[in-house]
Every structure is written in structure tokens, then in C-alpha cells.
């Protein structure tokens, strides 16, 4: 059943979201079968995600439809929901939707020497980013 309808992308990510901004991603739903199919799209459960598309009746064989998934929030945080797409012959697929607040992207070398750390004790390690001299971050590690 999954090869009758193709959905690209199969999961939607909104990264580095900020309050009061609208973010959009296009999802393509393509009919791979040899006959026209009715495609039903069920909206996400939360009001932060939304899906807009043109209702156009059955989708002809080989053609695709465009869904515009949008995200907007008035509070900072990470949000998750899903979009459900249903068609004939028991086709049903959930498209996970994710929105993440801005997080630091710290890239480390493959080997990190953290110095001497005592086992079963919390160690506070200072990590600074050379490009942001005013920004200081701390990491807490516990070796067991």
C-alpha cells in the first residue's frame, strides 16, 4: 500500500524557530498508482501547525499535489505533532511534524580530553566558543 502514494519529505522539521514568526515547508504527495485516487489530509491536532492545500477532487495517476505545512507560535519551546494522509485501498500515513527552538551547535573533535574527572562525582567543565567571546556555557558530566 505504501508504494501507491509517495510523500516527500516523509518527516517535517522546523529548526531555530522564534516567537511570532511563520515558517513554511512544502510537502509533495504523488499518486504512483495507475488510477485516480482521492487523497484526504487530516490537520495536525495542535493549533501551532497547519496544512494548506487546494481541494481538487481525485488525484490523477502520476500527478502530485502540494501541501504547505506552516508553523507559528507565541511561546518558545519544542513542539511535535503529525499530519495524516489517507487514500483508498487502506492507505494511511502519518507525517511527523517537529519544531525546535534555537539550540547551540557545538562540534567537537572525535577525541576530547576532559582532563582528570573523579568517578561517581559531578564535574563542571567550562566550554567557550572562540567566535563568541562574551558567550560562556557550562556542561556537567557524571562518569559512572
Amino acid at each position: 500500500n505504501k508504494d501507491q502514494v509517495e510523500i516527500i519529505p516523509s518527516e517535517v522539521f522546523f529548526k531555530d524557530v522564534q516567537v511570532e514568526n511563520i515558517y513554511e515547508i512544502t510537502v509533495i504527495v504523488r499518486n504512483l498508482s495507475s488510477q485516480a485516487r482521492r487523497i484526504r489530509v487530516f490537520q495536525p491536532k495542535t493549533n501551532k501547525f497547519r496544512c494548506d492545500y487546494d481541494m481538487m477532487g481525485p488525484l490523477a495517476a502520476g500527478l502530485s499535489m502540494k501541501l504547505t505545512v506552516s508553523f507559528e507560535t507565541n511561546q518558545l519551546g519544542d513542539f511535535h505533532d503529525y499530519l495524516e494522509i489517507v487514500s483508498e485501498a487502506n492507505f494511511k500515513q502519518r507525517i511527523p511534524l517537529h519544531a525546535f527552538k534555537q539550540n547551540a551547535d557545538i562540534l567537537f573533535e572525535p577525541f576530547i580530553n576532559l582532563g582528570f574527572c573523579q568517578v561517581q562525582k559531578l564535574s563542571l567543565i567550562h566550554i567557550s566558543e572562540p567566535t563568541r567571546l562574551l558567550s560562556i556555557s557550562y556542561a556537567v558530566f557524571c562518569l559512572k
Side-chain angles (χ1 to χ4, degrees):
N1 286 358
K2 295 253 183 207
D3 56 351
Q4 297 172 1
V5 177
E6 178 183 42
I7 302 170
I8 300 173
S10 59
E11 194 165 1
V12 173
F13 294 95
F14 297 98
K15 295 182 180 179
D16 299 333
V17 297
Q18 295 178 355
V19 176
E20 305 297 335
N21 285 339
I22 299 174
Y23 300 89
E24 292 184 344
I25 291 181
T26 300
V27 174
I28 302 296
V29 178
R30 183 172 291 122
N31 180 3
L32 299 178
S33 70
S34 58
Q35 54 191 332
R37 295 195 166 274
R38 290 196 179 277
I39 306 287
R40 294 189 63 199
V41 179
F42 292 95
Q43 291 290 330
K45 304 289 185 233
T46 62
N47 62 356
K48 304 204 180 305
F49 293 97
R50 178 182 163 154
C51 180
D52 294 318
Y53 58 98
D54 292 331
M55 297 290 288
M56 52 188 195
L59 188 60
L63 294 185
S64 62
M65 65 185 288
K66 182 172 85 168
L67 311 177
T68 302
V69 179
S70 59
F71 173 80
E72 183 179 18
T73 184
N74 56 4
Q75 61 188 28
L76 203 55
D78 294 340
F79 302 94
H80 307 279
D81 204 339
Y82 64 89
L83 187 68
E84 193 166 61
I85 299 175
V86 177
S87 183
E88 287 107 348
N90 295 325
F91 177 85
K92 181 190 286 189
Q93 187 170 343
R94 284 187 173 180
I95 309 300
L97 308 174
H98 310 281
F100 299 106
K101 65 180 184 268
Q102 189 172 11
N103 290 318
D105 287 335
I106 301 175
L107 300 176
F108 292 109
E109 294 294 322
F111 175 79
I112 302 172
N113 183 356
L114 298 175
F116 293 103
C117 296
Q118 195 173 15
V119 176
Q120 297 290 345
K121 185 176 180 195
L122 293 176
S123 299
L124 185 65
I125 298 172
H126 167 80
I127 299 173
S128 62
E129 199 177 334
T131 58
R132 297 184 193 164
L133 297 177
L134 299 177
S135 175
I136 297 174
S137 301
Y138 290 93
V140 177
F141 296 91
C142 182
L143 301 176
K144 296 184 178 188

